[in-house]
């Protein structure tokens, strides 16, 4: 997926059957549950930040409540997600990402790769709605990642709802990022400038249609997100799994909560002090469909990621570099690398010069 890459250190290279953790989730949640509204209460702010610090340090995943996004808003985005995938295939293919040099639009089932293997899902990729840049031969190739979205003519209401959703979640993510920095004793505004102008927002509408005919249950393969923050809205069908103690365990949906995870750029910016964690999605069984809407909060493409200052660095272990996945100081270079790997057909059509070096 374009905001993620396969992890070379995943505990398992092939999807396994669901763990038994789901049945006990209500008694012993896999992920901590944090209420963002507590950050507004002077009496609760310190304890909230302590819990946020622990979640980010220990696992890089949490459930977020108290975010201010209403149940009606989440119901509406899921309703329209289902409506999009219920459109005739011809309507979905009319907005195929093969039409877009910006990697925007619809991806058919099995046509996105994670770790070189096909993910058994289809999706609509949406970014910030902007005009395409004029990209010259001396300009960074990642500038191609900005441009217009593709919207299905048969579902005209989708555009306004998704763009408003993206704006709402960007505000939640920005607030959470500032609280996260404060929780480790760093300046809360350290990344404000990187996000202030043209942040690279990205939303996916995703359908998992059930297990593939081959029997594989890779909805999306094991990976770490390589940006800053991901906020995931799930429907009531399970399938998300996160590594804990060396094994993949289920993360059952929690009504009213977003699943939040940290990306690798935060791990890099804190010299390994914060954690990006392997996760994957196991396909639902039989004819069951699963729908989800992940939102990726990332800075402008030309932002250079610097080390976050603070005393916490005394406990930072440093970065474990992966030769198979080089990470660059400019965010856009990492983002483009992900798109080219995940969507080679789009890259070959529009940017063939990038494919061999991807």
């Amino acid at each position: 997926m374009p905001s993620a890459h396969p992890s070379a250190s995943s505990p398992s290279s092939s999807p396994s059957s669901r763990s038994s953790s789901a049945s006990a989730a209500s008694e012993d949640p896999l992920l901590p549950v944090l209420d963002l509204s507590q950050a507004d209460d002077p009496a609760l702010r310190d304890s909230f930040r302590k819990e946020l610090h622990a979640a980010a340090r220990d696992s890089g995943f949490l459930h977020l409540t108290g975010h201010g996004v209403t149940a009606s808003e989440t119901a509406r985005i899921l309703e329209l997600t289902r409506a999009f995938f219920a459109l005739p295939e011809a309507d979905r293919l009319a907005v195929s990402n093969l039409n877009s040099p910006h990697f925007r639009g619809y991806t058919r089932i099995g046509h996105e790769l994670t770790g070189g293997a096909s993910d058994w899902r289809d999706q609509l990729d949406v970014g910030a709605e902007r005009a395409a840049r004029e990209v010259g031969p001396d300009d960074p190739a990642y500038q191609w990642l900005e441009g217009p979205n593709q919207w299905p003519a048969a579902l005209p209401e989708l555009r306004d709802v998704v763009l408003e959703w993206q704006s709402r979640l960007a505000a939640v993510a920005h607030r959470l990022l500032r609280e996260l920095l404060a929780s480790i004793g760093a300046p809360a505004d350290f990344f404000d400038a990187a996000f202030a102008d043209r942040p690279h927002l990205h939303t996916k509408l995703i359908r998992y249609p059930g297990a593939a005919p081959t029997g594989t249950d890779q909805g999306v393969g094991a990976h770490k997100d390589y940006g800053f923050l991901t906020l995931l809205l799930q429907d009531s069908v399970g399938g998300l799994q996160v590594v804990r103690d060396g094994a993949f365990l289920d993360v059952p949906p929690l009504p009213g909560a977003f699943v939040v995870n940290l990306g690798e750029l935060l791990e890099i910016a804190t010299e390994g002090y914060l954690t990006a964690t392997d996760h994957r999605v196991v396909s639902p069984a039989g004819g069951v469909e699963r729908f989800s809407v992940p939102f990726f909060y990332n800075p402008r493409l030309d932002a250079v990621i610097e080390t976050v200052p603070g005393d916490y660095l005394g406990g930072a272990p440093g970065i474990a570099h992966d030769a198979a996945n080089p990470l660059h100081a400019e965010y856009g270079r990492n983002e483009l690398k992900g798109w080219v790997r995940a969507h080679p057909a789009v890259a070959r059509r529009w940017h063939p010069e990038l494919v061999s070096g991807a």
Side-chain angles (χ1 to χ4, degrees):
M1 64 193 286
S3 289
H5 74 80
S7 171
S9 59
S10 299
S12 172
S13 59
S14 60
S16 64
S17 60
R18 305 277 176 85
S19 76
S20 61
S21 63
S23 61
S26 60
E27 299 176 4
D28 181 22
L30 175 65
L31 305 184
V33 181
L34 275 70
D35 182 345
L36 184 57
S37 69
Q38 291 182 355
D40 293 329
D41 187 337
L44 299 174
R45 186 178 298 127
D46 286 347
S47 61
F48 169 79
R49 288 179 175 174
K50 182 177 180 180
E51 293 174 2
L52 179 58
H53 185 169
R57 181 84 170 96
D58 296 342
S59 72
F61 266 85
L62 58 98
H63 285 296
L64 188 71
T65 64
H67 41 67
V69 179
T70 67
S72 61
E73 288 175 297
T74 58
R76 181 59 170 155
I77 193 73
L78 285 172
E79 175 190 29
L80 285 176
T81 297
R82 296 185 182 96
F84 171 75
F85 291 106
L87 293 175
E89 183 179 46
D91 289 327
R92 286 178 276 127
L93 290 177
V95 293
S96 168
N97 64 354
L98 291 171
N99 302 331
S100 171
H102 318 295
F103 295 85
R104 306 288 178 82
Y106 174 68
T107 303
R108 291 182 295 164
I109 294 172
H111 282 245
E112 184 181 50
L113 306 179
T114 299
S118 294
D119 296 324
W120 199 247
R121 64 180 188 176
D122 54 350
Q123 62 196 18
L124 181 71
D125 283 293
V126 176
E129 189 68 80
R130 296 177 181 141
R133 287 176 176 261
E134 292 289 338
V135 183
D138 297 326
D139 293 325
Y142 59 67
Q143 290 189 3
W144 280 109
L145 297 177
E146 285 199 353
N149 295 297
Q150 297 190 81
W151 302 103
L155 196 63
E157 61 268 42
L158 187 67
R159 181 185 188 278
D160 287 348
V161 172
V162 172
L163 292 179
E164 175 60 23
W165 177 263
Q166 192 159 254
S167 178
R168 292 279 281 128
L169 264 63
V172 174
H174 184 68
R175 184 178 176 211
L176 181 62
L177 178 60
R178 289 175 62 94
E179 289 297 326
L180 176 59
L181 293 175
S183 78
I184 63 172
D189 62 353
F190 185 75
F191 288 117
D192 282 7
F195 285 88
D197 181 44
R198 305 178 77 88
H200 195 70
L201 309 180
H202 176 207
T203 302
K204 284 177 175 283
L205 310 184
I206 301 175
R207 171 178 62 176
Y208 296 88
T214 60
T216 180
D217 57 1
Q218 177 175 315
V220 62
H223 64 277
K224 298 177 182 180
D225 293 355
Y226 57 68
F228 269 68
L229 289 173
T230 303
L231 276 64
L232 171 68
L233 173 66
Q234 305 188 76
D235 67 5
S236 59
V237 178
L240 175 65
Q241 296 184 335
V242 173
V243 169
R244 186 170 71 177
D245 298 328
F248 280 103
L249 299 180
D250 290 328
V251 179
L254 180 65
F258 292 108
V259 176
V260 175
N261 67 278
L262 277 59
E264 282 189 326
L265 288 184
L266 272 176
E267 186 170 324
I268 291 167
T270 59
E271 296 291 336
Y273 185 79
L274 299 181
T275 303
T277 301
D278 283 296
H279 54 288
R280 68 187 183 191
V281 173
V282 176
S283 295
V288 177
E289 292 181 315
R290 175 184 186 265
F291 298 92
S292 66
V293 184
F295 166 76
F296 305 92
Y297 187 58
N298 293 309
R300 68 178 191 275
L301 290 168
D302 64 350
V304 176
I305 306 307
E306 299 177 346
T307 300
V308 178
D311 292 341
Y312 76 91
L313 287 168
I319 305 300
H321 294 282
D322 180 0
N325 182 58
L327 292 161
H328 308 285
E330 283 180 290
Y331 169 67
R333 295 182 66 190
N334 294 301
E335 179 78 2
L336 181 63
K337 175 188 61 182
W339 284 106
V340 170
R341 288 180 171 180
H343 297 275
V346 178
R348 284 193 297 269
R349 179 171 185 178
W350 294 101
H351 312 291
E353 72 282 0
L354 301 177
V355 176
S356 61

Coordinates of all heavy atoms in Angstrom, one line a residue, residues 89-161:
E89 N -19.1 -2.4 -12.0 CA -17.6 -2.4 -12.2 C -17.2 -1.4 -13.2 O -16.2 -0.7 -13.1 CB -17.1 -3.8 -12.7 CG -15.6 -3.9 -12.8 CD -15.1 -5.2 -13.3 OE1 -15.7 -5.8 -14.2 OE2 -14.2 -5.7 -12.7
A90 N -18.0 -1.1 -14.3 CA -17.7 -0.1 -15.3 C -17.6 1.2 -14.7 O -16.7 2.0 -15.1 CB -18.7 -0.2 -16.4
D91 N -18.4 1.6 -13.7 CA -18.4 2.9 -13.1 C -17.1 3.0 -12.2 O -16.5 4.1 -12.1 CB -19.6 3.1 -12.2 CG -20.9 3.3 -13.0 OD1 -20.8 3.9 -14.1 OD2 -22.0 2.9 -12.5
R92 N -16.7 1.9 -11.6 CA -15.5 2.0 -10.8 C -14.3 2.1 -11.7 O -13.3 2.8 -11.4 CB -15.4 0.8 -9.8 CG -16.4 0.9 -8.7 CD -16.3 -0.4 -7.8 NE -17.2 -1.4 -8.3 CZ -16.8 -2.7 -8.5 NH1 -15.6 -3.1 -8.3 NH2 -17.7 -3.6 -9.0
L93 N -14.3 1.3 -12.7 CA -13.1 1.3 -13.6 C -13.0 2.6 -14.4 O -11.9 3.0 -14.8 CB -13.2 0.1 -14.6 CG -13.0 -1.3 -14.0 CD1 -13.2 -2.3 -15.1 CD2 -11.6 -1.4 -13.4
A94 N -14.1 3.4 -14.5 CA -14.0 4.7 -15.1 C -13.1 5.6 -14.3 O -12.6 6.6 -14.9 CB -15.4 5.3 -15.2
V95 N -12.9 5.3 -13.0 CA -11.9 6.2 -12.2 C -10.7 5.3 -11.8 O -10.1 5.5 -10.8 CB -12.7 6.8 -11.0 CG1 -13.7 7.8 -11.5 CG2 -13.3 5.7 -10.1
S96 N -10.3 4.4 -12.7 CA -9.1 3.6 -12.4 C -7.9 4.4 -12.2 O -7.7 5.5 -12.9 CB -8.9 2.6 -13.6 OG -7.6 2.0 -13.5
N97 N -7.1 4.0 -11.3 CA -5.8 4.8 -11.0 C -4.9 4.7 -12.2 O -3.9 5.4 -12.3 CB -5.1 4.3 -9.7 CG -4.7 2.9 -9.7 OD1 -4.9 2.1 -10.6 ND2 -4.0 2.5 -8.6
L98 N -5.1 3.8 -13.1 CA -4.3 3.7 -14.3 C -4.5 5.0 -15.2 O -3.6 5.3 -16.0 CB -4.7 2.5 -15.2 CG -4.2 1.1 -14.6 CD1 -4.8 0.0 -15.3 CD2 -2.7 1.0 -14.5
N99 N -5.5 5.7 -14.9 CA -5.8 7.0 -15.6 C -5.0 8.1 -15.0 O -5.0 9.2 -15.6 CB -7.3 7.3 -15.6 CG -8.2 6.3 -16.1 OD1 -7.8 5.6 -17.0 ND2 -9.4 6.2 -15.6
S100 N -4.4 7.9 -13.9 CA -3.8 9.1 -13.1 C -2.3 9.0 -12.9 O -1.8 8.1 -12.3 CB -4.5 9.1 -11.7 OG -3.9 10.0 -10.9
P101 N -1.6 10.0 -13.4 CA -0.2 10.1 -13.1 C 0.1 10.4 -11.6 O 1.3 10.3 -11.2 CB 0.3 11.2 -14.0 CG -0.8 12.1 -14.2 CD -2.0 11.2 -14.2
H102 N -0.9 10.7 -10.9 CA -0.8 11.0 -9.4 C -1.2 9.8 -8.6 O -1.2 10.0 -7.3 CB -1.7 12.2 -9.1 CG -1.7 13.3 -10.2 ND1 -0.6 14.0 -10.5 CD2 -2.7 13.7 -11.0 CE1 -0.8 14.8 -11.5 NE2 -2.1 14.7 -11.8
F103 N -1.4 8.7 -9.1 CA -1.7 7.4 -8.4 C -3.1 7.6 -7.6 O -3.3 6.9 -6.6 CB -0.6 7.1 -7.4 CG 0.7 6.7 -8.1 CD1 1.6 7.7 -8.4 CD2 1.0 5.4 -8.3 CE1 2.8 7.3 -9.0 CE2 2.2 5.0 -8.9 CZ 3.1 6.0 -9.3
R104 N -4.0 8.4 -8.2 CA -5.3 8.5 -7.5 C -6.3 7.7 -8.3 O -6.2 7.5 -9.5 CB -5.7 10.0 -7.6 CG -4.8 11.0 -7.0 CD -4.7 11.0 -5.5 NE -3.7 11.9 -5.0 CZ -3.9 13.2 -4.9 NH1 -5.1 13.7 -5.2 NH2 -2.9 14.0 -4.4
G105 N -7.3 7.2 -7.5 CA -8.4 6.5 -8.2 C -8.6 5.1 -7.7 O -8.1 4.7 -6.6
Y106 N -9.3 4.3 -8.5 CA -9.7 2.9 -8.1 C -8.7 1.9 -8.5 O -8.1 1.9 -9.6 CB -11.0 2.6 -8.8 CG -11.5 1.2 -8.6 CD1 -11.9 0.8 -7.3 CD2 -11.6 0.3 -9.6 CE1 -12.4 -0.5 -7.1 CE2 -12.0 -1.0 -9.5 CZ -12.4 -1.4 -8.2 OH -12.9 -2.7 -8.0
T107 N -8.4 1.0 -7.5 CA -7.5 -0.2 -7.8 C -8.3 -1.4 -7.7 O -9.0 -1.7 -6.7 CB -6.4 -0.2 -6.7 OG1 -5.6 1.0 -6.8 CG2 -5.4 -1.4 -7.0
R108 N -8.3 -2.2 -8.7 CA -9.0 -3.5 -8.7 C -8.5 -4.5 -7.7 O -7.3 -4.4 -7.3 CB -9.0 -4.1 -10.1 CG -9.8 -3.4 -11.2 CD -9.7 -4.1 -12.5 NE -8.3 -4.1 -13.0 CZ -7.9 -4.9 -14.0 NH1 -8.8 -5.8 -14.5 NH2 -6.7 -4.9 -14.4
I109 N -9.3 -5.5 -7.4 CA -8.9 -6.5 -6.4 C -7.6 -7.2 -6.9 O -7.5 -7.6 -8.1 CB -10.0 -7.5 -6.2 CG1 -11.2 -6.9 -5.6 CG2 -9.6 -8.7 -5.4 CD1 -12.5 -7.8 -5.5
G110 N -6.7 -7.3 -6.1 CA -5.4 -8.0 -6.4 C -4.4 -7.2 -7.1 O -3.3 -7.8 -7.5
H111 N -4.7 -5.9 -7.4 CA -3.7 -5.1 -8.2 C -2.9 -4.2 -7.3 O -2.2 -3.3 -7.9 CB -4.5 -4.4 -9.2 CG -4.9 -5.2 -10.4 ND1 -4.4 -5.0 -11.7 CD2 -5.7 -6.3 -10.5 CE1 -4.9 -5.9 -12.5 NE2 -5.7 -6.7 -11.8
E112 N -2.9 -4.3 -6.0 CA -2.0 -3.6 -5.2 C -1.1 -4.7 -4.5 O -1.5 -5.8 -4.2 CB -2.6 -2.8 -4.1 CG -1.7 -2.0 -3.3 CD -2.3 -1.1 -2.2 OE1 -3.1 -1.7 -1.4 OE2 -2.0 0.1 -2.1
L113 N 0.2 -4.3 -4.3 CA 1.2 -5.3 -3.8 C 1.7 -4.8 -2.5 O 1.9 -3.6 -2.3 CB 2.4 -5.4 -4.8 CG 2.0 -5.8 -6.2 CD1 3.3 -5.9 -7.0 CD2 1.3 -7.1 -6.3
T114 N 1.9 -5.8 -1.6 CA 2.6 -5.6 -0.3 C 3.6 -6.7 -0.2 O 3.3 -7.9 -0.2 CB 1.7 -5.6 0.9 OG1 0.7 -4.5 0.8 CG2 2.5 -5.4 2.2
G115 N 4.9 -6.3 -0.1 CA 5.9 -7.3 -0.1 C 6.0 -8.1 -1.4 O 6.4 -9.3 -1.3
G116 N 5.6 -7.6 -2.5 CA 5.6 -8.3 -3.8 C 4.4 -9.2 -4.0 O 4.3 -9.8 -5.1
A117 N 3.5 -9.4 -3.0 CA 2.4 -10.3 -3.1 C 1.1 -9.4 -3.2 O 1.0 -8.3 -2.7 CB 2.3 -11.2 -1.9
S118 N 0.1 -10.0 -3.9 CA -1.1 -9.2 -4.2 C -2.0 -9.2 -2.9 O -2.2 -10.2 -2.2 CB -1.9 -9.9 -5.3 OG -1.3 -9.8 -6.5
D119 N -2.5 -8.0 -2.6 CA -3.4 -7.8 -1.5 C -4.8 -8.1 -2.1 O -5.2 -7.6 -3.1 CB -3.4 -6.4 -1.0 CG -2.0 -6.1 -0.3 OD1 -1.5 -7.1 0.3 OD2 -1.6 -5.0 -0.4
W120 N -5.6 -8.9 -1.3 CA -7.0 -9.3 -1.8 C -8.0 -8.3 -1.3 O -8.7 -8.5 -0.4 CB -7.3 -10.7 -1.4 CG -8.4 -11.2 -2.2 CD1 -9.7 -11.6 -1.8 CD2 -8.4 -11.6 -3.6 NE1 -10.4 -12.0 -2.9 CE2 -9.6 -12.1 -4.0 CE3 -7.4 -11.5 -4.6 CZ2 -9.9 -12.5 -5.3 CZ3 -7.7 -11.9 -5.9 CH2 -8.9 -12.3 -6.3
R121 N -8.0 -7.1 -2.0 CA -8.9 -6.0 -1.7 C -9.0 -5.1 -2.9 O -8.1 -5.1 -3.7 CB -8.5 -5.3 -0.4 CG -7.1 -4.5 -0.6 CD -6.7 -3.8 0.7 NE -5.5 -3.0 0.5 CZ -5.0 -2.2 1.4 NH1 -5.6 -2.1 2.6 NH2 -4.0 -1.4 1.1
D122 N -10.0 -4.3 -2.9 CA -10.0 -3.2 -3.9 C -10.2 -1.9 -3.1 O -10.6 -1.9 -1.9 CB -11.0 -3.3 -5.0 CG -12.4 -3.6 -4.6 OD1 -12.7 -3.9 -3.4 OD2 -13.3 -3.6 -5.5
Q123 N -9.9 -0.7 -3.7 CA -9.9 0.5 -3.0 C -10.0 1.7 -3.9 O -9.7 1.6 -5.1 CB -8.6 0.6 -2.2 CG -7.4 0.6 -3.1 CD -6.1 0.3 -2.3 OE1 -6.1 -0.3 -1.2 NE2 -5.0 0.6 -2.9
L124 N -10.3 2.8 -3.3 CA -10.3 4.1 -3.9 C -9.3 5.0 -3.1 O -9.5 5.2 -1.9 CB -11.7 4.8 -4.0 CG -11.8 6.2 -4.6 CD1 -11.6 6.0 -6.2 CD2 -13.1 6.9 -4.3
D125 N -8.3 5.5 -3.8 CA -7.3 6.4 -3.2 C -7.6 7.9 -3.5 O -7.8 8.3 -4.6 CB -5.9 6.1 -3.7 CG -5.3 4.8 -3.1 OD1 -5.1 4.9 -1.8 OD2 -5.2 3.8 -3.8
V126 N -7.7 8.7 -2.4 CA -8.0 10.1 -2.5 C -6.9 10.9 -1.7 O -6.5 10.5 -0.6 CB -9.4 10.4 -1.8 CG1 -9.7 11.9 -1.8 CG2 -10.5 9.6 -2.6
G127 N -6.5 12.0 -2.3 CA -5.6 12.8 -1.6 C -6.2 14.2 -1.5 O -7.4 14.5 -1.8
A128 N -5.3 15.2 -1.1 CA -5.8 16.6 -1.1 C -6.2 17.0 -2.5 O -5.5 16.6 -3.5 CB -4.7 17.5 -0.6
E129 N -7.3 17.7 -2.7 CA -7.8 18.1 -4.0 C -7.0 19.3 -4.5 O -7.3 20.4 -4.0 CB -9.3 18.3 -3.9 CG -9.9 18.5 -5.3 CD -9.9 17.3 -6.1 OE1 -10.8 16.4 -5.9 OE2 -9.1 17.2 -7.0
R130 N -6.1 19.1 -5.3 CA -5.2 20.2 -5.8 C -5.0 20.1 -7.3 O -5.1 18.9 -7.9 CB -3.9 20.2 -5.1 CG -4.0 20.5 -3.6 CD -2.6 20.4 -2.9 NE -2.8 20.7 -1.5 CZ -2.1 20.0 -0.6 NH1 -1.2 19.1 -0.9 NH2 -2.3 20.3 0.7
A131 N -4.7 21.2 -8.0 CA -4.3 21.1 -9.4 C -3.0 20.4 -9.5 O -2.1 20.4 -8.6 CB -4.2 22.5 -9.9
A132 N -2.8 19.8 -10.7 CA -1.5 19.1 -10.9 C -0.4 20.1 -11.0 O -0.6 21.2 -11.6 CB -1.6 18.3 -12.2
R133 N 0.8 19.8 -10.5 CA 1.9 20.7 -10.7 C 2.5 20.5 -12.1 O 2.4 19.5 -12.7 CB 3.0 20.3 -9.6 CG 2.7 20.7 -8.2 CD 3.8 20.1 -7.3 NE 3.6 20.6 -5.9 CZ 4.2 21.6 -5.3 NH1 5.1 22.3 -6.1 NH2 4.1 21.9 -4.1
E134 N 3.2 21.5 -12.5 CA 4.1 21.5 -13.7 C 5.4 20.9 -13.2 O 6.2 21.6 -12.6 CB 4.2 22.8 -14.3 CG 3.0 23.4 -14.9 CD 2.5 22.7 -16.2 OE1 3.4 22.0 -16.8 OE2 1.3 22.7 -16.5
V135 N 5.7 19.6 -13.6 CA 6.9 19.0 -13.1 C 7.9 19.0 -14.2 O 7.7 18.3 -15.3 CB 6.6 17.5 -12.7 CG1 7.8 16.9 -12.1 CG2 5.5 17.5 -11.6
G136 N 9.0 19.7 -14.0 CA 10.0 19.8 -15.0 C 11.1 18.7 -14.8 O 11.1 18.0 -13.8
P137 N 12.0 18.5 -15.8 CA 13.0 17.5 -15.7 C 13.9 17.6 -14.5 O 14.5 16.6 -14.1 CB 13.8 17.6 -17.0 CG 13.5 19.0 -17.5 CD 12.1 19.3 -17.0
D138 N 14.1 18.8 -14.0 CA 15.0 19.0 -12.8 C 14.2 19.0 -11.5 O 14.8 19.2 -10.5 CB 15.8 20.3 -13.0 CG 16.7 20.3 -14.2 OD1 17.2 19.2 -14.5 OD2 16.8 21.4 -14.8
D139 N 12.9 18.9 -11.6 CA 12.1 18.9 -10.3 C 12.1 17.5 -9.7 O 12.2 16.5 -10.4 CB 10.7 19.4 -10.6 CG 10.6 20.8 -11.1 OD1 11.4 21.6 -10.5 OD2 9.7 21.1 -11.9
P140 N 11.9 17.4 -8.4 CA 11.8 16.1 -7.8 C 10.6 15.4 -8.3 O 9.5 15.9 -8.5 CB 11.5 16.5 -6.3 CG 12.1 17.8 -6.1 CD 11.8 18.5 -7.4
A141 N 10.7 14.1 -8.6 CA 9.7 13.3 -9.2 C 8.5 13.2 -8.3 O 7.3 13.0 -8.8 CB 10.2 11.9 -9.6
Y142 N 8.7 13.3 -7.0 CA 7.6 13.2 -6.1 C 6.5 14.3 -6.2 O 5.4 14.1 -5.7 CB 8.1 13.1 -4.6 CG 8.8 14.2 -4.1 CD1 8.3 15.5 -3.9 CD2 10.2 14.1 -3.7 CE1 9.0 16.6 -3.4 CE2 10.9 15.1 -3.2 CZ 10.3 16.4 -3.0 OH 11.0 17.4 -2.5
Q143 N 6.8 15.3 -6.9 CA 5.8 16.3 -7.2 C 4.7 15.8 -8.0 O 3.6 16.4 -8.0 CB 6.5 17.6 -7.8 CG 7.4 18.3 -6.9 CD 7.8 19.7 -7.5 OE1 7.4 20.0 -8.6 NE2 8.7 20.4 -6.8
W144 N 4.9 14.7 -8.7 CA 3.8 14.0 -9.4 C 2.7 13.6 -8.5 O 1.5 13.3 -8.9 CB 4.3 12.9 -10.2 CG 4.9 13.3 -11.5 CD1 6.2 13.2 -11.9 CD2 4.2 13.8 -12.7 NE1 6.4 13.7 -13.1 CE2 5.2 14.0 -13.7 CE3 2.9 14.0 -13.0 CZ2 4.9 14.5 -14.9 CZ3 2.6 14.5 -14.3 CH2 3.6 14.8 -15.2
L145 N 3.0 13.4 -7.2 CA 2.0 12.9 -6.2 C 0.9 13.9 -5.9 O -0.1 13.5 -5.2 CB 2.7 12.4 -5.0 CG 3.7 11.2 -5.2 CD1 4.4 10.9 -3.9 CD2 3.0 10.0 -5.8
E146 N 1.1 15.2 -6.3 CA 0.0 16.1 -6.1 C -0.8 16.3 -7.4 O -0.2 16.3 -8.5 CB 0.6 17.5 -5.7 CG 1.1 17.6 -4.3 CD 1.2 19.0 -3.8 OE1 1.1 19.9 -4.6 OE2 1.5 19.2 -2.6
G147 N -2.1 16.4 -7.2 CA -2.9 16.5 -8.4 C -4.4 16.3 -8.1 O -4.7 16.0 -6.9
P148 N -5.2 16.3 -9.0 CA -6.7 16.1 -8.8 C -7.0 14.6 -8.5 O -6.3 13.7 -9.0 CB -7.3 16.6 -10.1 CG -6.2 16.3 -11.1 CD -4.9 16.6 -10.5
N149 N -8.1 14.5 -7.8 CA -8.6 13.1 -7.5 C -9.5 12.7 -8.7 O -9.9 13.6 -9.5 CB -9.4 13.1 -6.2 CG -8.5 13.3 -5.0 OD1 -7.6 12.5 -4.8 ND2 -8.7 14.4 -4.3
Q150 N -9.9 11.5 -8.7 CA -11.0 11.0 -9.6 C -12.2 10.6 -8.8 O -12.1 9.9 -7.8 CB -10.5 9.8 -10.4 CG -9.3 10.0 -11.3 CD -9.0 8.8 -12.2 OE1 -9.6 8.7 -13.2 NE2 -8.1 8.0 -11.8
W151 N -13.4 11.1 -9.3 CA -14.6 10.9 -8.6 C -15.6 10.2 -9.5 O -15.8 10.6 -10.6 CB -15.2 12.2 -8.1 CG -14.2 12.9 -7.2 CD1 -13.5 14.0 -7.5 CD2 -13.9 12.6 -5.8 NE1 -12.7 14.4 -6.4 CE2 -13.0 13.6 -5.4 CE3 -14.3 11.7 -4.9 CZ2 -12.5 13.6 -4.1 CZ3 -13.8 11.7 -3.6 CH2 -12.9 12.6 -3.2
P152 N -16.4 9.2 -9.0 CA -17.3 8.5 -9.8 C -18.5 9.4 -10.1 O -19.2 9.9 -9.2 CB -17.7 7.3 -9.0 CG -17.5 7.7 -7.6 CD -16.3 8.7 -7.6
A153 N -18.9 9.5 -11.4 CA -20.0 10.3 -11.8 C -21.3 9.7 -11.3 O -22.3 10.5 -11.0 CB -20.1 10.4 -13.3
A154 N -21.4 8.4 -11.0 CA -22.6 7.8 -10.5 C -22.8 8.0 -9.0 O -23.9 7.6 -8.5 CB -22.5 6.3 -10.9
L155 N -21.9 8.6 -8.3 CA -22.0 8.8 -6.9 C -21.5 10.2 -6.6 O -20.5 10.4 -5.9 CB -21.2 7.7 -6.1 CG -21.5 7.6 -4.6 CD1 -23.0 7.1 -4.4 CD2 -20.6 6.6 -4.0
P156 N -22.2 11.3 -7.0 CA -21.6 12.6 -7.0 C -21.4 13.1 -5.5 O -20.6 14.0 -5.3 CB -22.6 13.5 -7.7 CG -23.9 12.7 -7.7 CD -23.5 11.2 -7.7
E157 N -22.2 12.6 -4.6 CA -22.1 13.1 -3.2 C -20.8 12.6 -2.5 O -20.4 13.1 -1.5 CB -23.3 12.6 -2.4 CG -23.5 11.1 -2.3 CD -24.4 10.5 -3.3 OE1 -24.3 11.0 -4.5 OE2 -25.2 9.7 -3.0
L158 N -20.1 11.6 -3.1 CA -18.9 11.1 -2.5 C -17.8 12.1 -2.3 O -17.1 12.2 -1.3 CB -18.4 9.9 -3.4 CG -17.2 9.1 -2.8 CD1 -17.6 8.4 -1.5 CD2 -16.6 8.2 -3.8
R159 N -17.6 13.0 -3.3 CA -16.6 14.0 -3.3 C -16.6 14.9 -2.0 O -15.6 14.9 -1.3 CB -16.6 14.9 -4.5 CG -15.5 15.9 -4.6 CD -15.7 16.8 -5.8 NE -14.5 17.7 -6.0 CZ -14.3 18.8 -5.4 NH1 -15.2 19.2 -4.4 NH2 -13.2 19.5 -5.6
D160 N -17.7 15.5 -1.8 CA -17.8 16.4 -0.7 C -17.6 15.7 0.7 O -17.0 16.2 1.6 CB -19.1 17.2 -0.7 CG -19.1 18.3 -1.8 OD1 -18.1 18.5 -2.4 OD2 -20.2 18.8 -2.1
V161 N -18.2 14.5 0.8 CA -18.2 13.8 2.1 C -16.8 13.4 2.4 O -16.3 13.5 3.5 CB -19.2 12.6 2.0 CG1 -19.0 11.8 3.3 CG2 -20.6 13.1 2.0

